[in-house]
Amino acid sequence: MGGRHAASHHTGDPAGGNRTQEYAEPNEEGPHEADVVPLVKIADPVHGAPAFNINPMLLEGIRMGDRFWELAKLTTFGEVVDAIFYEVKYVTPWVPGTHGKRSSGMQSAVRGVSNAGTPGIAYTMLLKLFLLRLTRDQVRSLLRHPDSPYIRAIGFLYLRLGLYDFKELWAWFQPYLGDDDQFFIDGTPATATTIGEFDFFGDRLPRLPVLVSRQIEDKLQKAASGVTDEPPTEAGGGGGGSGWGPEDAERLKRKRAELAEAEGKVRSLRKLLSEREAQAARR
């Protein structure tokens, strides 16, 4: 870890080798640079590199971690999404149980990484996505992803932390307020929540401008009472549609059933293999 830390300071590469994705030409298929979601223009005080509203202590801890440097090998959006699917099982900034009591929340003062804990894999992946510079279509695909609620949660965090114009938040989030796709915030059943109930406006996230916060609270109250003055469409227009629909929910249920069945088969095979290994050992 010390070598990584030294490299991040002395090579002038706080991105750890991670680079912006390649964009297609305007007349070609693929991500287009003109479609990139504008991100906040906040630099960290150590390197002057983009900080994306990530707490400085957490940001430096991520940069010191080997996994962040290894992610440089993943150069496409699809590769990173696959990695999130296999690796992310919680969405807290720090690995659960490692964040010290002397530091409270993401916005705690900088006291040194040793007092903070171990940066969580979700936020490591989130920084990777920030450095890729996602397009609106790519962000939409995160929010609707049928295979993992953690991929979807990271998509919402991408917007909640990094969006340049917070006035867009409501348009992005509104279609998912009633979404009952469940996940565990810290990986345990005690923190079970749903996509629709995920606390996007909690005190561990950057504070929203007062006017934007009031507008969102007003819209949330109207939505809770069944009153709405606008159709549920995502920000950015084009290719978006109305967000999460009945077909998506049904497809998600089928995917989860297929995954549960596959996991059951894997457990059975492992048990059978262990029994045969034990028999072979006795011989």
Side-chain angles (χ1 to χ4, degrees):
M1 183 176 291
R4 300 296 190 191
H5 190 200
S8 70
H9 283 276
H10 299 305
T11 66
D13 186 18
N18 293 281
R19 297 291 178 260
T20 303
Q21 65 181 319
E22 291 187 8
Y23 300 109
E25 294 296 326
N27 59 341
E28 297 176 348
E29 281 193 27
H32 297 116
E33 190 169 7
D35 188 39
V36 168
V37 175
L39 299 176
V40 291
K41 304 179 185 298
I42 296 176
D44 74 80
V46 179
H47 306 282
F52 309 108
N53 267 330
I54 299 176
N55 170 264
M57 182 166 54
L58 176 63
L59 182 62
E60 189 67 2
I62 292 172
R63 289 171 174 163
M64 290 170 60
D66 287 342
R67 186 64 186 117
F68 176 61
W69 288 72
E70 292 166 355
L71 289 175
K73 296 182 293 186
L74 307 182
T75 60
T76 69
F77 172 70
E79 290 174 329
V80 179
V81 171
D82 286 345
I84 293 172
F85 174 80
Y86 286 110
E87 297 182 43
V88 176
K89 304 301 177 187
Y90 59 88
V91 291
T92 51
W94 310 93
V95 173
T98 70
H99 192 37
K101 293 182 180 179
R102 292 176 57 191
S103 305
S104 58
M106 267 193 61
Q107 302 305 316
S108 56
V110 177
R111 298 180 178 85
V113 174
S114 61
N115 289 333
T118 304
I121 186 62
Y123 274 69
T124 300
M125 294 294 183
L126 182 60
L127 179 56
K128 171 67 177 183
L129 291 174
F130 280 138
L131 293 170
L132 280 181
R133 299 280 181 172
L134 303 185
T135 66
R136 292 181 182 274
D137 284 341
Q138 289 172 335
V139 173
R140 276 190 284 267
S141 73
L142 291 176
L143 303 187
R144 301 173 180 176
H145 206 287
D147 294 338
S148 169
Y150 298 99
I151 294 174
R152 304 183 64 206
I154 287 176
F156 287 110
L157 287 171
Y158 186 93
L159 295 168
R160 180 60 180 84
L161 267 73
L163 196 62
Y164 176 75
D165 187 356
F166 279 143
K167 292 192 293 293
E168 284 191 41
L169 280 176
W170 178 256
W172 281 106
F173 291 171
Q174 184 202 10
Y176 304 96
L177 292 178
D179 194 321
D180 60 0
D181 190 13
Q182 188 180 70
F183 66 101
F184 303 135
I185 292 177
D186 71 357
T188 67
T191 58
T193 189
T194 66
I195 290 294
E197 295 173 344
F198 189 28
D199 184 7
F200 303 110
F201 313 108
D203 62 2
R204 291 186 297 178
L205 296 169
R207 182 173 297 175
L208 295 176
V210 174
L211 182 58
V212 174
S213 181
R214 287 176 179 171
Q215 290 174 342
I216 290 176
E217 289 295 338
D218 180 61
K219 291 177 184 293
L220 283 171
Q221 290 178 9
K222 288 181 178 179
S225 61
V227 177
T228 180
D229 54 2
E230 54 196 90
T233 56
E234 287 171 323
S242 60
W244 188 263
E247 298 86 357
D248 299 290
E250 188 60 35
R251 184 171 65 251
L252 179 63
K253 289 180 181 178
R254 290 198 301 269
K255 285 279 188 181
R256 296 223 174 282
E258 292 171 3
L259 181 60
E261 182 180 359
E263 289 175 342
K265 290 180 179 179
V266 170
R267 286 193 296 269
S268 296
L269 288 172
R270 285 177 175 169
K271 182 179 179 181
L272 179 60
L273 181 60
S274 297
E275 291 174 351
R276 290 185 176 177
E277 287 177 342
Q279 292 174 358
R282 289 195 293 270
R283 294 174 185 170

